[in-house]
Amino acid sequence: MAVSARRGEPLTLEEISSTALRLMDEGGVEGLSMRKLAAELDVNPMSLYHHVESKEALLRLVCHGAAERMHLPPDDGASWQDQLRALALTYHRHAREHPALWTYVHNHPEIVSDRRMRLWQVLYRILRLAGVPEAELCRTGDVLHAFVSGLVLFETQGHITDDPEEIDRTFDTAVNLIVRGLEGSR
Amino acid sequence: MAVSARRGEPLTLEEISSTALRLMDEGGVEGLSMRKLAAELDVNPMSLYHHVESKEALLRLVCHGAAERMHLPPDDGASWQDQLRALALTYHRHAREHPALWTYVHNHPEIVSDRRMRLWQVLYRILRLAGVPEAELCRTGDVLHAFVSGLVLFETQGHITDDPEEIDRTFDTAVNLIVRGLEGSR
DNA sequence: ACCTGAACACCGTTCAAGT
DNA sequence: ACCTGAACACCGTTCAAGT
């Protein structure tokens, strides 16, 4: 088994993925390139292709990893309104911690639309609690996710403002609008 | 005045901008590069820089042009609900005609957040009609636009579905949710 | 098995030179 | 005033070769 000439140990997927995420956090979407990542790992650019099929596959990996690590609120018996608020807040906070990653996610909806993601199970449970009919569950879930995506996209691009208090107010306005919209549909 | 060796007439901004839009319509965001655009115009890549400062400036130009050409519904005295629906429909339709352009717009919110855009004037008028207090106008407008952005982004990336009937249903679900959310806030 | 260097086909953009 | 070619500093990725 041959290892890198420059470093002592073989690469791991975990190492590749976490370094990629760090580069995105630091330098935005354009902060991550296969070549910069390789340099950061002190490795030849082409070595990466032994662990990952393409840049796209790498980004999928990073996104799925981050989504798995997102700790979703459990069913605590609270009202669906409060649970929906809590879920939105979790998502929102995670997105603001990794803005470049989530910008990528929201531009590649096939990643987040993977229905195996726990996010959807939690959202559907809350929507059922809210009285959304079974036949409308998927569509309503899509719409809500699209809404939150749009909001996150706006914020992470620094459009709305940088003032954290203002961000919270905007977030509240958005979530309240959604909650009232759902209440009105019963 | 020297003109292109390859073509008889000097370039115009209009020609550059409309060709760029066509390339985006045909080949997505990555379908437009300065080099491909130049080839399409039968001109040296560097000639473009005489008319446009950078690729970013070119895209701004294309976006603003497209936004100006979008024909917004006039105040026809209908209920704010119907007027909001009509506005959303116009925006939605335009976005679906130029998906790559609007994907770019939604990822560069500084473009659409330009408050000189007529879109905002129309939206604010409708929101006032809906009874949104003056102090909340800007925030509510941002939230609504973020919502629609997210929806459009999802759709144009082919996430939700390609079935036009399903798209319309999803759009209706979204707009109804927003309208009810606004009604509930009065 | 894992890593590497050279190479290919692309980018956006600068700069000095042409007419 | 407008256009051009060569060049620079980047990309992602293929491929044949090394250990």
Side-chain angles (χ1 to χ4, degrees):
Chain A
M1 154 175 140
V3 291
S4 164
R6 304 192 234 169
R7 48 200 320 275
E9 298 160 19
L11 282 172
T12 65
L13 262 188
E14 170 50 33
E15 191 183 8
I16 291 174
S17 166
S18 64
T19 307
L21 179 55
R22 182 165 54 76
L23 284 183
M24 289 184 86
D25 288 345
E26 288 169 5
V29 193
E30 66 268 32
L32 174 65
S33 77
M34 296 302 270
R35 293 171 117 108
K36 283 182 198 159
L37 177 57
E40 195 75 14
L41 291 166
D42 202 16
V43 110
N44 185 288
M46 297 315 113
S47 303
L48 296 173
Y49 286 91
H50 240 268
H51 300 86
V52 142
E53 202 188 317
S54 63
K55 189 184 184 183
E56 216 175 296
L58 166 65
L59 279 161
R60 247 194 324 266
L61 184 77
V62 176
C63 292
H64 278 130
E68 267 170 34
R69 254 175 281 116
M70 184 162 63
H71 139 276
L72 300 173
D75 186 354
D76 60 356
S79 70
W80 66 263
Q81 288 92 336
D82 285 348
Q83 292 204 42
L84 189 59
R85 256 181 257 272
L87 179 61
L89 198 63
T90 300
Y91 191 83
H92 188 244
R93 195 166 290 160
H94 199 267
R96 292 194 58 81
E97 272 165 27
H98 306 289
L101 180 76
W102 286 98
T103 296
Y104 183 84
V105 169
H106 293 146
N107 280 284
H108 299 262
E110 75 280 1
I111 290 175
V112 86
S113 73
D114 187 335
R115 284 308 189 276
R116 288 168 304 182
M117 271 184 50
R118 293 168 305 138
L119 175 67
W120 293 108
Q121 311 311 322
V122 178
L123 181 57
Y124 289 161
R125 176 177 60 71
I126 296 174
L127 290 183
R128 280 198 191 92
L129 217 56
V132 174
E134 208 66 22
E136 296 289 330
L137 222 50
C138 191
R139 206 195 322 282
T140 306
D142 281 346
V143 168
L144 291 199
H145 184 263
F147 283 2
V148 176
S149 291
L151 193 67
V152 166
L153 213 55
F154 251 42
E155 288 185 6
T156 55
Q157 253 113 24
H159 157 64
I160 291 179
T161 173
D162 275 336
D163 175 13
E165 201 177 316
E166 180 71 12
I167 287 174
D168 286 347
R169 257 204 294 273
T170 303
F171 176 77
D172 284 345
T173 301
V175 175
N176 287 336
L177 199 108
I178 290 176
V179 167
R180 280 193 310 263
L182 286 172
E183 284 174 344
S185 74
R186 316 233 281 172
Chain B
M1 156 175 140
V3 291
S4 164
R6 303 193 235 169
R7 48 200 320 276
E9 298 159 20
L11 282 172
T12 64
L13 263 188
E14 169 51 31
E15 191 183 8
I16 291 173
S17 166
S18 64
T19 307
L21 179 55
R22 181 165 55 76
L23 284 183
M24 289 184 87
D25 287 346
E26 288 169 4
V29 193
E30 66 268 31
L32 174 65
S33 77
M34 297 303 269
R35 293 171 118 108
K36 283 182 198 160
L37 177 57
E40 194 76 13
L41 291 166
D42 202 16
V43 112
N44 185 289
M46 299 315 114
S47 304
L48 296 173
Y49 286 89
H50 240 266
H51 304 266
V52 143
E53 202 187 317
S54 63
K55 188 184 184 182
E56 217 175 296
L58 167 65
L59 280 161
R60 249 194 322 266
L61 185 76
V62 177
C63 291
H64 278 132
E68 267 171 33
R69 253 175 280 117
M70 184 163 60
H71 138 277
L72 300 174
D75 186 354
D76 58 358
S79 70
W80 66 263
Q81 287 93 337
D82 284 348
Q83 292 204 42
L84 190 59
R85 255 181 258 271
L87 179 61
L89 199 63
T90 299
Y91 191 83
H92 187 244
R93 195 166 290 161
H94 200 267
R96 291 194 58 81
E97 271 165 27
H98 306 289
L101 180 75
W102 286 98
T103 296
Y104 182 84
V105 168
H106 293 145
N107 281 284
H108 296 77
E110 75 280 1
I111 290 174
V112 85
S113 73
D114 187 334
R115 284 306 191 275
R116 290 168 303 182
M117 272 183 50
R118 294 168 305 140
L119 175 67
W120 294 109
Q121 311 312 322
V122 178
L123 181 57
Y124 289 161
R125 177 177 60 71
I126 296 174
L127 290 182
R128 281 198 191 92
L129 217 56
V132 174
E134 208 66 23
E136 296 289 330
L137 222 51
C138 191
R139 206 195 323 281
T140 306
D142 281 346
V143 168
L144 291 199
H145 184 262
F147 283 2
V148 176
S149 290
L151 194 67
V152 166
L153 212 56
F154 251 43
E155 287 185 7
T156 55
Q157 253 112 22
H159 157 65
I160 291 180
T161 171
D162 275 336
D163 175 13
E165 201 177 317
E166 180 72 11
I167 288 172
D168 286 347
R169 258 204 294 272
T170 303
F171 176 76
D172 284 344
T173 300
V175 174
N176 287 337
L177 198 108
I178 290 174
V179 167
R180 280 193 309 262
L182 286 172
E183 284 174 344
S185 73
R186 316 234 278 169

